[in-house]
Amino acid sequence: AQSVTQLGSHVSVSEGALVLLRCNYSSSVPPYLFWYVQYPNQGLQLLLKYTTGATLVKGINGFEAEFKKSETSFHLTKPSAHMSDAAEYFCAVSDPQANDMRFGAGTRLTVKP
Amino acid sequence: DAGITQSPRHKVTETGTPVTLRCHQTENHRYMYWYRQDPGHGLRLIHYSYGVKDTDKGEVSDGYSVSRSKTEDFLLTLESATSSQTSVYFCASQEQGYEAFFGQGTRLTVV
């Protein structure tokens, strides 16, 4: 089965600073990879996904992630943090054939003024 | 937003009682999932379904059962609720290879 490790349960950045949220995955087959965001008392919303093709994936709200097979990583970045980015972020991996999506433990992003 | 609704949104129940959570989707998605969310654990997969009457266990399935008699409905049952099952439960639906859409969650408290 697939698994995901998110490095850092809490990340704090200043407004305007680079956001980097780390995700490493384990999968026995070429995976599908996802980043989701969760605002307080809400469900999860998709930020971006990688299935096949271009390894640099752009998502909503200025976020992007790069699939690096050699490093089994799918880190999420944003050049300049905004106060509205404060939320919890989840990385997920899915076997394209089995579709049993597995999530990491989440990273809570705090943005300081 | 995709049409996926969970009911109830909040529930308090006593230890040892059965509880059923409902998930309804209007997108005709093939795949549906139940997760529980707990601090420090993220979302953990309880059960999932890949079609009507086709279900499989996830990583934390003990104490839970599911049923899917129609494409649009996926039920999660706690046969005899325990305090360790106090959590926030999320349902999701998906077509293969595409994004999963999540419900708003059900906060379950077992006292």
Side-chain angles (χ1 to χ4, degrees), chain A residues 71-89:
Chain A
E71 299 177 7
T72 60
S73 69
F74 191 57
H75 301 331
L76 181 71
T77 61
K78 182 175 180 177
S80 177
H82 191 272
M83 297 296 290
S84 61
D85 294 327
E88 189 148 21
Y89 292 81

Side-chain angles (χ1 to χ4, degrees), chain A residues 53-64:
Chain A
T55 57
L56 181 63
V57 180
K58 295 186 185 299
I60 62 172
N61 300 337
F63 285 93
E64 62 182 36

Side-chain angles (χ1 to χ4, degrees), chain A residues 8-65:
Chain A
S9 58
H10 291 89
V11 170
S12 181
V13 301
S14 298
E15 191 172 20
L18 171 72
V19 175
L20 171 60
L21 305 182
R22 300 179 187 273
C23 172
N24 287 91
Y25 69 90
S26 173
S27 178
S28 57
V29 299
Y32 289 169
L33 295 161
F34 306 82
W35 275 100
Y36 284 83
V37 61
Q38 185 183 32
Y39 298 102
N41 299 315
Q42 295 188 23
L44 279 70
Q45 305 170 32
L46 182 72
L47 276 178
L48 48 79
K49 67 177 181 180
Y50 168 80
T51 54
T52 59
T55 57
L56 181 63
V57 180
K58 295 186 185 299
I60 62 172
N61 300 337
F63 285 93
E64 62 182 36

